[in-house]
């Protein structure tokens, strides 16, 4: 079979950063002459872009790999690649566990995929997990959506939260230059993408590592400066960003979001725990009180803004009373959405070695109680949409009802309404909300907002 006819398949686990990395690697493979295959079983090159935030994501990778490793014994020309955070964490150990692998590469190496594969095609087994300076994005991603696009603004993370494996696997913070970010957004505007999400593991750290500082010692480039610099890119109608860190979240950033009409009124700010002693044990660098002040400030500027977050239950040593502090914070804030997880010990993190681990039963019980409260509060928050007119960016057909399309409000609420996807995809439509649920809405289209 000629190289040009080769087919590839990518399976992505984990966060938005991983999805963005997969799109860039798909772009590289297509530049190399590979064609996308819907299923891994028809592909000549299979790439698993992995996540190690929780143990079950990691186990899933191994079960997928096992199936393809067997296939490779019958088809020796099959190329198997593991990229992402499990690759970075396990490195050489992955090859010992799955000797059929051809390439193990950490997230910092995504833009080097072609060079690494060339080494593989010369008959080498390659492990690329050493820290590198990330090459500027000259790759053309093969984007999964024609409506919304990710744009990385900063890679890596310098925080040292005691439960988190990200700094070990994604490396130190590396900000892209404002000019490179704007150029990528301008290209997306020309291609007709109405919405861009700016991404960073800790987006508020943007610019700290770029050269130059002000006379008062502060940074020349901050994430807020970046928003002012890119907000008017032609063709891009909506700008979102994630993920924020309460330690660095400023009133100036909130004011910018309020002032800049394209920036959506949705903030994703993980709080992890509602108890100060646990926040300290987690090395989060803020208190419950500071977190609540941030939420109050957002609501002072934008009373209607949607707020989502992440929370962990069952962190080592968490008492029932400390868990109830988390419940009270959720009650007080009333999140639009909350990603919840039971604590899962990760290799190489301090908290994994502590002796005060909680039982799976306690973690499971607390997770259920928290999820019940989250759904109740989200349903209450949803009530504000009843009968309102919302601007919805149409993304796709409703998979459960082909007569409906679906998209998101500026506050990131999933919304369904009757319409023809071919006519409406990528359009901003005014929709009157007729039905509210905890995490989604249904409505009736009134008219096109923007043709």
């Amino acid at each position: 079979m000629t190289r040009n006819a080769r087919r590839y398949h990518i399976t992505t686990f984990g966060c938005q950063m991983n999805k963005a990395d997969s799109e860039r690697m798909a772009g590289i493979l297509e530049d190399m002459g590979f064609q996308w295959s819907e299923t891994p079983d028809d592909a000549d090159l299979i790439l698993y872009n992995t996540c190690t935030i929780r143990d079950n994501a990691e186990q899933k990778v191994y079960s997928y790999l096992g199936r393809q490793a067997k296939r490779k014994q019958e088809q020796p020309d099959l190329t198997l690649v593991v990229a992402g955070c499990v690759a970075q964490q396990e490195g050489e150990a992955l090859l010992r566990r799955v000797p059929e692998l051809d390439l193990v590469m950490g997230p910092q190496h995504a833009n080097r995929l072609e060079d690494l594969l060339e080494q593989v095609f010369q008959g080498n087994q390659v492990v690329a997990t050493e820290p590198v300076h990330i090459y500027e994005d000259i790759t053309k991603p093969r984007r999964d959506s024609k409506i919304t696009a990710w744009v990385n603004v900063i890679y890596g993370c310098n925080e040292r939260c005691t439960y988190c494996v990200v700094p070990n696997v994604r490396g130190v913070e590396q900000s892209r230059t404002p000019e490179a970010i704007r150029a990528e957004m301008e290209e997306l505007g020309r291609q007709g993408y109405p919405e861009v999400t700016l991404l960073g593991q800790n987006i508020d750290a943007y610019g700290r590592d770029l050269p130059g500082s002000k006379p008062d010692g502060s940074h020349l480039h901050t994430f807020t400066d970046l928003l002012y610099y890119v907000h008017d890119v032609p063709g891009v109608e909506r700008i979102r960003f994630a993920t924020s860190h309460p330690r660095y979240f400023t009133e100036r950033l909130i004011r910018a979001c309020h002032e800049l009409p394209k920036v959506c009124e949705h903030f994703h700010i993980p709080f992890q725990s509602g108890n100060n002693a646990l926040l300290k044990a987690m090395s989060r660098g803020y208190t419950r009180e500071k977190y609540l002040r941030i939420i109050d400030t957002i609501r002072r500027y934008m009373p209607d803004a949607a707020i989502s977050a992440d929370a962990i239950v069952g962190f080592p040593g968490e008492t029932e009373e400390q868990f109830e502090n988390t419940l009270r914070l959720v009650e007080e804030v009333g999140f639009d959405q909350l990603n919840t997880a039971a604590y899962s010990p990760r290799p190489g993190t301090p908290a994994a070695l502590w002796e005060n681990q909680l039982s799976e039963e306690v973690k499971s019980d607390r997770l259920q109680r928290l999820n019940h409260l989250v759904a109740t509060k989200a349903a209450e928050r949803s009530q504000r949409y009843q009968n309102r007119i919302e601007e919805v960016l149409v993304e796709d057909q409703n998979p459960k009802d082909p007569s409906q399309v679906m998209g998101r409000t500026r506050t990131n609420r999933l919304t369904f309404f009757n319409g023809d996807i071919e006519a409406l995809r990528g359009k901003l439509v005014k929709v009157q909300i007729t039905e509210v649920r905890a995490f989604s809405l249904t409505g009736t289209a009134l008219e096109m907002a923007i043709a």
Side-chain angles (χ1 to χ4, degrees):
M1 187 182 279
T2 64
R3 279 275 302 284
N4 286 350
R6 298 196 79 189
R7 296 164 70 76
Y8 76 95
H9 180 85
I10 297 179
T11 300
T12 307
F13 302 86
C15 68
Q16 294 167 325
M17 296 293 282
N18 265 15
K19 289 174 187 156
D21 288 347
S22 287
E23 289 184 349
R24 294 209 320 279
M25 290 189 286
I28 292 170
L29 288 168
E30 299 206 346
D31 282 349
M32 292 173 70
F34 281 82
Q35 293 170 351
W36 167 253
S37 163
E38 284 299 328
T39 67
D41 293 337
D42 293 338
D44 307 288
L45 182 148
I46 298 170
L47 188 153
Y48 293 110
N49 193 7
T50 58
C51 169
T52 180
I53 288 288
R54 293 197 241 305
D55 192 44
N56 58 353
E58 206 174 307
Q59 295 316 315
K60 211 187 270 184
V61 175
Y62 284 118
S63 73
Y64 280 43
L65 261 180
R67 286 204 294 278
Q68 296 304 335
K70 279 199 189 71
R71 197 179 135 213
K72 179 156 180 162
Q73 289 161 12
E74 291 147 31
Q75 286 171 255
D77 62 345
L78 177 64
T79 304
L80 284 183
V81 181
V82 176
C85 296
V86 173
Q88 184 68 36
Q89 177 183 289
E90 300 295 318
E92 298 269 356
L94 252 177
L95 292 187
R96 288 197 290 277
R97 192 161 168 178
V98 187
E100 294 81 2
L101 277 173
D102 295 287
L103 170 58
V104 174
M105 54 185 284
Q108 293 186 331
H109 294 264
N111 289 358
R112 296 186 57 226
L113 180 60
E114 181 168 9
D115 295 345
L116 297 171
L117 282 175
E118 288 302 339
Q119 295 174 42
V120 168
F121 296 141
Q122 286 160 18
N124 300 304
Q125 227 181 3
V126 180
V127 177
T129 52
E130 68 282 4
V132 291
H133 182 72
I134 294 170
Y135 298 150
E136 182 44 65
D137 279 345
I138 44 175
T139 53
K140 291 278 173 285
R142 175 196 188 272
R143 299 192 186 267
D144 286 340
S145 165
K146 293 280 183 278
I147 314 303
T148 66
W150 320 109
V151 172
N152 284 322
V153 303
I154 180 171
Y155 301 96
C157 183
N158 289 3
E159 299 303 302
R160 284 287 168 190
C161 304
T162 54
Y163 55 83
C164 185
V165 77
V166 165
N168 301 350
V169 292
R170 283 196 171 266
V172 296
E173 290 166 0
Q174 295 184 45
S175 301
R176 297 176 65 195
T177 65
E179 295 76 18
I181 294 163
R182 184 172 172 111
E184 186 175 347
M185 288 178 69
E186 285 172 346
E187 179 60 27
L188 289 166
R190 282 192 290 276
Q191 290 172 12
Y193 280 86
E195 183 177 289
V196 165
T197 301
L198 303 175
L199 284 186
Q201 221 70 50
N202 172 10
I203 206 157
D204 304 282
Y206 175 77
R208 289 196 293 206
D209 57 315
L210 291 176
S213 59
K214 298 178 184 172
D216 64 0
S218 62
H219 301 291
L220 184 62
H221 305 287
T222 66
F223 180 62
T224 307
D225 298 329
L226 180 69
L227 278 182
Y228 281 114
Y229 180 67
V230 302
H231 78 95
D232 59 349
V233 167
V236 174
E237 302 298 334
R238 286 182 173 184
I239 297 172
R240 302 185 185 278
F241 59 90
T243 293
S244 299
H245 193 303
R247 185 190 290 196
Y248 308 106
F249 204 87
T250 64
E251 183 165 352
R252 182 169 172 254
L253 174 59
I254 297 167
R255 203 162 54 238
C257 297
H258 176 59
E259 284 174 11
L260 300 173
K262 291 183 181 182
V263 179
C264 291
E265 300 79 6
H266 171 230
F267 297 88
H268 185 75
I269 317 172
F271 67 90
Q272 306 302 9
S273 169
N275 177 268
N276 285 344
L278 279 186
L279 287 171
K280 191 169 184 186
M282 291 175 170
S283 294
R284 288 291 287 168
Y286 56 87
T287 60
R288 169 200 184 94
E289 292 71 26
K290 175 170 183 185
Y291 187 86
L292 290 171
R293 279 197 301 275
I294 290 168
I295 304 304
D296 285 346
T297 309
I298 290 171
R299 288 186 170 153
R300 198 169 73 238
Y301 281 92
M302 290 165 276
D304 194 50
I307 295 165
S308 59
D310 302 337
I312 295 169
V313 301
F315 187 74
E318 182 186 60
T319 64
E320 174 62 27
E321 187 183 352
Q322 288 172 328
F323 168 65
E324 285 168 9
N325 290 159
T326 293
L327 292 179
R328 276 198 291 278
L329 186 140
V330 171
E331 183 78 48
E332 196 171 330
V333 171
F335 291 95
D336 292 78
Q337 192 143 13
L338 187 63
N339 303 326
T340 61
Y343 170 74
S344 171
R346 306 314 300 134
T349 61
L353 304 175
W354 297 348
E355 288 177 0
N356 52 354
Q357 306 289 330
L358 302 190
S359 72
E360 292 306 316
E361 291 74 22
V362 168
K363 291 196 275 196
S364 170
D365 171 64
R366 289 180 184 172
L367 188 60
Q368 279 182 314
R369 287 157 63 196
L370 178 58
N371 285 343
H372 177 73
L373 178 61
V374 167
T376 306
K377 298 307 289 184
E380 286 171 19
R381 284 288 290 160
S382 254
Q383 293 306 313
R384 72 192 194 278
Y385 293 108
Q386 186 69 48
N387 298 324
R388 262 185 15 190
I389 294 169
E390 290 288 318
E391 179 193 86
V392 175
L393 173 59
V394 178
E395 293 177 32
D396 223 326
Q397 196 171 47
N398 178 355
K400 293 181 182 163
D401 180 352
S403 70
Q404 289 188 332
V405 297
M406 61 184 195
R408 292 182 182 274
T409 65
R410 286 177 62 93
T411 52
N412 207 38
R413 191 54 62 106
L414 190 60
T415 305
F416 303 96
F417 63 94
N418 284 343
D420 172 16
I421 188 60
E422 296 313 319
L424 295 175
R425 184 180 272 120
K427 300 281 197 291
L428 290 164
V429 181
K430 289 283 202 299
V431 176
Q432 177 136 32
I433 304 305
T434 54
E435 200 182 322
V436 297
R437 291 172 296 279
F439 302 108
S440 64
L441 311 168
T442 300
T444 308
L446 297 181
E447 44 100 9
M448 295 289 186
I450 292 174

